[in-house]
mmCIF file of all heavy atoms in Angstrom:
data_model
loop_
_atom_site.group_PDB
_atom_site.id
_atom_site.type_symbol
_atom_site.label_atom_id
_atom_site.label_comp_id
_atom_site.label_asym_id
_atom_site.label_seq_id
_atom_site.Cartn_x
_atom_site.Cartn_y
_atom_site.Cartn_z
ATOM 1 N N ASN A 1 0.872 -1.172 -0.034
ATOM 2 C CA ASN A 1 0.034 -0.041 -0.058
ATOM 3 C C ASN A 1 0.942 1.263 0.029
ATOM 4 O O ASN A 1 2.125 1.168 0.256
ATOM 5 C CB ASN A 1 -1.011 -0.017 1.152
ATOM 6 C CG ASN A 1 -0.284 -0.036 2.462
ATOM 7 O OD1 ASN A 1 0.632 0.858 2.762
ATOM 8 N ND2 ASN A 1 -0.673 -0.951 3.423
ATOM 9 N N ASP A 2 0.323 2.365 -0.321
ATOM 10 C CA ASP A 2 1.160 3.602 -0.417
ATOM 11 C C ASP A 2 1.922 4.051 0.804
ATOM 12 O O ASP A 2 3.004 4.422 0.710
ATOM 13 C CB ASP A 2 0.182 4.743 -0.858
ATOM 14 C CG ASP A 2 -0.284 4.578 -2.387
ATOM 15 O OD1 ASP A 2 0.328 3.923 -3.057
ATOM 16 O OD2 ASP A 2 -1.182 5.315 -2.709
ATOM 17 N N GLU A 3 1.278 3.803 2.027
ATOM 18 C CA GLU A 3 1.833 4.118 3.220
ATOM 19 C C GLU A 3 3.080 3.309 3.465
ATOM 20 O O GLU A 3 4.234 3.908 3.771
ATOM 21 C CB GLU A 3 0.988 3.916 4.443
ATOM 22 C CG GLU A 3 1.626 4.378 5.749
ATOM 23 C CD GLU A 3 0.693 4.209 6.918
ATOM 24 O OE1 GLU A 3 -0.589 3.866 6.721
ATOM 25 O OE2 GLU A 3 1.208 4.264 8.015
ATOM 26 N N THR A 4 3.085 2.014 3.175
ATOM 27 C CA THR A 4 4.288 1.158 3.321
ATOM 28 C C THR A 4 5.380 1.541 2.354
ATOM 29 O O THR A 4 6.467 1.662 2.799
ATOM 30 C CB THR A 4 3.815 -0.334 2.980
ATOM 31 O OG1 THR A 4 2.789 -0.752 4.052
ATOM 32 C CG2 THR A 4 5.063 -1.300 3.110
ATOM 33 N N ILE A 5 4.949 1.803 1.174
ATOM 34 C CA ILE A 5 5.979 2.176 0.122
ATOM 35 C C ILE A 5 6.623 3.405 0.482
ATOM 36 O O ILE A 5 7.880 3.549 0.417
ATOM 37 C CB ILE A 5 5.197 2.281 -1.301
ATOM 38 C CG1 ILE A 5 4.853 0.956 -1.727
ATOM 39 C CG2 ILE A 5 6.230 2.995 -2.381
ATOM 40 C CD1 ILE A 5 3.902 0.965 -2.850
ATOM 41 N N GLN A 6 5.908 4.366 0.939
ATOM 42 C CA GLN A 6 6.496 5.639 1.316
ATOM 43 C C GLN A 6 7.513 5.538 2.484
ATOM 44 O O GLN A 6 8.292 6.497 2.704
ATOM 45 C CB GLN A 6 5.408 6.743 1.573
ATOM 46 C CG GLN A 6 4.698 7.167 0.232
ATOM 47 C CD GLN A 6 3.419 7.978 0.423
ATOM 48 O OE1 GLN A 6 3.140 8.313 1.594
ATOM 49 N NE2 GLN A 6 2.884 8.366 -0.616
ATOM 50 N N ASN A 7 7.286 4.708 3.319
ATOM 51 C CA ASN A 7 8.161 4.386 4.530
ATOM 52 C C ASN A 7 9.467 3.560 4.246
ATOM 53 O O ASN A 7 10.152 3.438 5.164
ATOM 54 C CB ASN A 7 7.400 3.803 5.645
ATOM 55 C CG ASN A 7 6.486 4.826 6.306
ATOM 56 O OD1 ASN A 7 6.798 6.011 6.463
ATOM 57 N ND2 ASN A 7 5.299 4.351 6.613
ATOM 58 N N LEU A 8 9.560 3.112 3.002
ATOM 59 C CA LEU A 8 10.712 2.237 2.644
ATOM 60 C C LEU A 8 11.769 3.234 2.119
ATOM 61 O O LEU A 8 11.449 4.050 1.180
ATOM 62 C CB LEU A 8 10.298 1.226 1.695
ATOM 63 C CG LEU A 8 9.447 0.139 2.178
ATOM 64 C CD1 LEU A 8 8.923 -0.737 1.047
ATOM 65 C CD2 LEU A 8 10.139 -0.680 3.313
ATOM 66 N N LYS A 9 12.980 2.996 2.362
ATOM 67 C CA LYS A 9 14.158 3.650 1.972
ATOM 68 C C LYS A 9 15.180 2.735 1.302
ATOM 69 O O LYS A 9 15.333 1.601 1.801
ATOM 70 C CB LYS A 9 14.800 4.543 3.068
ATOM 71 C CG LYS A 9 13.883 5.420 3.851
ATOM 72 C CD LYS A 9 13.320 6.588 2.929
ATOM 73 C CE LYS A 9 12.431 7.384 3.616
ATOM 74 N NZ LYS A 9 11.330 7.893 2.762
ATOM 75 N N ALA A 10 15.792 3.346 0.264
ATOM 76 C CA ALA A 10 16.851 2.398 -0.440
ATOM 77 C C ALA A 10 17.856 1.979 0.767
ATOM 78 O O ALA A 10 18.305 2.724 1.445
ATOM 79 C CB ALA A 10 17.540 3.356 -1.518
ATOM 80 N N GLY A 11 18.160 0.692 0.666
ATOM 81 C CA GLY A 11 19.095 0.032 1.534
ATOM 82 C C GLY A 11 18.348 -0.672 2.676
ATOM 83 O O GLY A 11 19.000 -1.452 3.372
ATOM 84 N N ASP A 12 17.149 -0.419 2.961
ATOM 85 C CA ASP A 12 16.351 -1.090 3.926
ATOM 86 C C ASP A 12 16.366 -2.584 3.692
ATOM 87 O O ASP A 12 16.024 -2.987 2.556
ATOM 88 C CB ASP A 12 14.891 -0.612 4.039
ATOM 89 C CG ASP A 12 14.598 0.655 4.692
ATOM 90 O OD1 ASP A 12 15.679 1.305 5.224
ATOM 91 O OD2 ASP A 12 13.565 1.260 4.660
ATOM 92 N N ALA A 13 16.639 -3.367 4.680
ATOM 93 C CA ALA A 13 16.558 -4.820 4.526
ATOM 94 C C ALA A 13 15.078 -5.287 4.944
ATOM 95 O O ALA A 13 14.554 -4.695 5.939
ATOM 96 C CB ALA A 13 17.490 -5.592 5.538
ATOM 97 N N VAL A 14 14.425 -6.162 4.198
ATOM 98 C CA VAL A 14 13.138 -6.518 4.368
ATOM 99 C C VAL A 14 12.802 -7.885 4.311
ATOM 100 O O VAL A 14 13.539 -8.614 3.735
ATOM 101 C CB VAL A 14 12.056 -5.600 3.298
ATOM 102 C CG1 VAL A 14 12.267 -4.143 3.525
ATOM 103 C CG2 VAL A 14 12.342 -6.170 1.887
ATOM 104 N N LEU A 15 11.735 -8.364 4.854
ATOM 105 C CA LEU A 15 11.226 -9.629 4.813
ATOM 106 C C LEU A 15 9.759 -9.629 4.197
ATOM 107 O O LEU A 15 8.929 -8.953 4.868
ATOM 108 C CB LEU A 15 11.079 -10.376 6.155
ATOM 109 C CG LEU A 15 12.525 -10.697 6.787
ATOM 110 C CD1 LEU A 15 12.292 -11.339 8.186
ATOM 111 C CD2 LEU A 15 13.360 -11.693 5.819
ATOM 112 N N LEU A 16 9.546 -10.083 2.942
ATOM 113 C CA LEU A 16 8.271 -9.913 2.307
ATOM 114 C C LEU A 16 7.498 -11.191 2.765
ATOM 115 O O LEU A 16 7.901 -12.317 2.527
ATOM 116 C CB LEU A 16 8.389 -9.797 0.780
ATOM 117 C CG LEU A 16 9.200 -8.672 0.308
ATOM 118 C CD1 LEU A 16 9.628 -8.766 -1.142
ATOM 119 C CD2 LEU A 16 8.660 -7.357 0.640
ATOM 120 N N SER A 17 6.124 -10.878 3.079
ATOM 121 C CA SER A 17 5.250 -12.028 3.234
ATOM 122 C C SER A 17 3.957 -11.598 2.603
ATOM 123 O O SER A 17 3.478 -10.598 2.769
ATOM 124 C CB SER A 17 4.971 -12.265 4.697
ATOM 125 O OG SER A 17 6.114 -12.706 5.355
ATOM 126 N N GLY A 18 3.221 -12.630 1.970
ATOM 127 C CA GLY A 18 1.967 -12.440 1.271
ATOM 128 C C GLY A 18 1.973 -12.981 -0.077
ATOM 129 O O GLY A 18 2.695 -13.970 -0.289
ATOM 130 N N GLN A 19 1.367 -12.289 -0.946
ATOM 131 C CA GLN A 19 1.311 -12.799 -2.381
ATOM 132 C C GLN A 19 2.036 -11.920 -3.279
ATOM 133 O O GLN A 19 1.939 -10.689 -3.256
ATOM 134 C CB GLN A 19 -0.089 -13.009 -2.888
ATOM 135 C CG GLN A 19 -0.902 -14.116 -2.090
ATOM 136 C CD GLN A 19 -2.249 -14.433 -2.614
ATOM 137 O OE1 GLN A 19 -3.019 -13.562 -2.993
ATOM 138 N NE2 GLN A 19 -2.525 -15.687 -2.608
ATOM 139 N N MET A 20 2.762 -12.462 -4.218
ATOM 140 C CA MET A 20 3.256 -11.780 -5.328
ATOM 141 C C MET A 20 3.267 -12.683 -6.669
ATOM 142 O O MET A 20 3.158 -13.943 -6.350
ATOM 143 C CB MET A 20 4.679 -11.348 -5.086
ATOM 144 C CG MET A 20 5.806 -12.347 -4.741
ATOM 145 S SD MET A 20 7.353 -11.471 -4.513
ATOM 146 C CE MET A 20 8.223 -12.786 -3.632
ATOM 147 N N PHE A 21 3.300 -12.148 -7.723
ATOM 148 C CA PHE A 21 3.263 -13.015 -8.881
ATOM 149 C C PHE A 21 4.577 -12.932 -9.728
ATOM 150 O O PHE A 21 5.413 -12.139 -9.426
ATOM 151 C CB PHE A 21 2.105 -12.580 -9.886
ATOM 152 C CG PHE A 21 2.255 -11.275 -10.600
ATOM 153 C CD1 PHE A 21 2.869 -11.290 -11.961
ATOM 154 C CD2 PHE A 21 1.826 -10.053 -10.195
ATOM 155 C CE1 PHE A 21 2.967 -10.253 -12.593
ATOM 156 C CE2 PHE A 21 2.034 -8.947 -10.827
ATOM 157 C CZ PHE A 21 2.475 -8.989 -11.934
ATOM 158 N N THR A 22 4.790 -14.053 -10.445
ATOM 159 C CA THR A 22 6.084 -14.107 -11.178
ATOM 160 C C THR A 22 5.797 -13.726 -12.592
ATOM 161 O O THR A 22 4.686 -14.052 -13.160
ATOM 162 C CB THR A 22 6.556 -15.554 -11.104
ATOM 163 O OG1 THR A 22 5.764 -16.466 -11.882
ATOM 164 C CG2 THR A 22 6.788 -16.120 -9.690
ATOM 165 N N ALA A 23 6.845 -13.254 -13.216
ATOM 166 C CA ALA A 23 6.829 -12.911 -14.588
ATOM 167 C C ALA A 23 8.193 -12.458 -15.003
ATOM 168 O O ALA A 23 8.883 -11.812 -14.340
ATOM 169 C CB ALA A 23 5.796 -11.783 -14.944
ATOM 170 N N ARG A 24 8.562 -12.977 -16.201
ATOM 171 C CA ARG A 24 9.800 -12.518 -16.850
ATOM 172 C C ARG A 24 9.467 -11.788 -18.155
ATOM 173 O O ARG A 24 8.318 -11.512 -18.441
ATOM 174 C CB ARG A 24 10.701 -13.832 -17.141
ATOM 175 C CG ARG A 24 11.391 -14.196 -15.862
ATOM 176 C CD ARG A 24 12.313 -15.414 -16.081
ATOM 177 N NE ARG A 24 13.155 -15.238 -17.198
ATOM 178 C CZ ARG A 24 14.217 -16.073 -17.407
ATOM 179 N NH1 ARG A 24 14.530 -16.923 -16.525
ATOM 180 N NH2 ARG A 24 14.950 -15.933 -18.563
ATOM 181 N N ASP A 25 10.441 -11.648 -19.110
ATOM 182 C CA ASP A 25 10.187 -10.979 -20.261
ATOM 183 C C ASP A 25 9.125 -11.491 -21.211
ATOM 184 O O ASP A 25 8.234 -10.722 -21.744
ATOM 185 C CB ASP A 25 11.512 -10.640 -21.015
ATOM 186 C CG ASP A 25 12.463 -11.796 -20.979
ATOM 187 O OD1 ASP A 25 12.623 -12.420 -19.994
ATOM 188 O OD2 ASP A 25 13.203 -11.929 -21.965
ATOM 189 N N ALA A 26 9.100 -12.708 -21.321
ATOM 190 C CA ALA A 26 7.943 -13.294 -22.197
ATOM 191 C C ALA A 26 6.615 -13.023 -21.520
ATOM 192 O O ALA A 26 5.658 -12.794 -22.358
ATOM 193 C CB ALA A 26 8.247 -14.808 -22.367
ATOM 194 N N GLY A 27 6.455 -13.252 -20.270
ATOM 195 C CA GLY A 27 5.151 -12.902 -19.659
ATOM 196 C C GLY A 27 4.849 -11.423 -19.809
ATOM 197 O O GLY A 27 3.669 -10.974 -19.982
ATOM 198 N N HIS A 28 5.854 -10.521 -19.639
ATOM 199 C CA HIS A 28 5.538 -9.142 -19.727
ATOM 200 C C HIS A 28 5.159 -8.785 -21.055
ATOM 201 O O HIS A 28 4.291 -7.871 -21.302
ATOM 202 C CB HIS A 28 6.786 -8.393 -19.289
ATOM 203 C CG HIS A 28 6.943 -8.181 -17.771
ATOM 204 N ND1 HIS A 28 7.358 -9.192 -16.891
ATOM 205 C CD2 HIS A 28 6.633 -7.109 -17.003
ATOM 206 C CE1 HIS A 28 7.408 -8.761 -15.757
ATOM 207 N NE2 HIS A 28 7.067 -7.541 -15.670
ATOM 208 N N LYS A 29 5.799 -9.414 -22.048
ATOM 209 C CA LYS A 29 5.423 -9.120 -23.467
ATOM 210 C C LYS A 29 3.886 -9.533 -23.712
ATOM 211 O O LYS A 29 3.164 -8.655 -24.327
ATOM 212 C CB LYS A 29 6.287 -9.990 -24.397
ATOM 213 C CG LYS A 29 6.092 -9.732 -25.889
ATOM 214 C CD LYS A 29 7.054 -10.516 -26.716
ATOM 215 C CE LYS A 29 6.809 -10.296 -28.164
ATOM 216 N NZ LYS A 29 7.779 -10.959 -29.091
#
């Protein structure tokens, strides 16, 4: 969400939990 994104700074170490999808160049195309 926007609040989470705005609180992240380059270099922060994170642990991601939840759902994300996979895609490479062929999927993006």
Side-chain angles (χ1 to χ4, degrees):
N1 61 51
D2 288 341
E3 181 181 350
T4 298
I5 291 169
Q6 290 171 358
N7 287 319
L8 293 172
K9 303 296 177 216
D12 286 349
V14 298
L15 293 173
L16 303 173
S17 294
Q19 292 186 324
M20 62 181 161
F21 71 93
T22 69
R24 284 183 42 166
D25 33 329
H28 278 77
K29 183 176 181 180

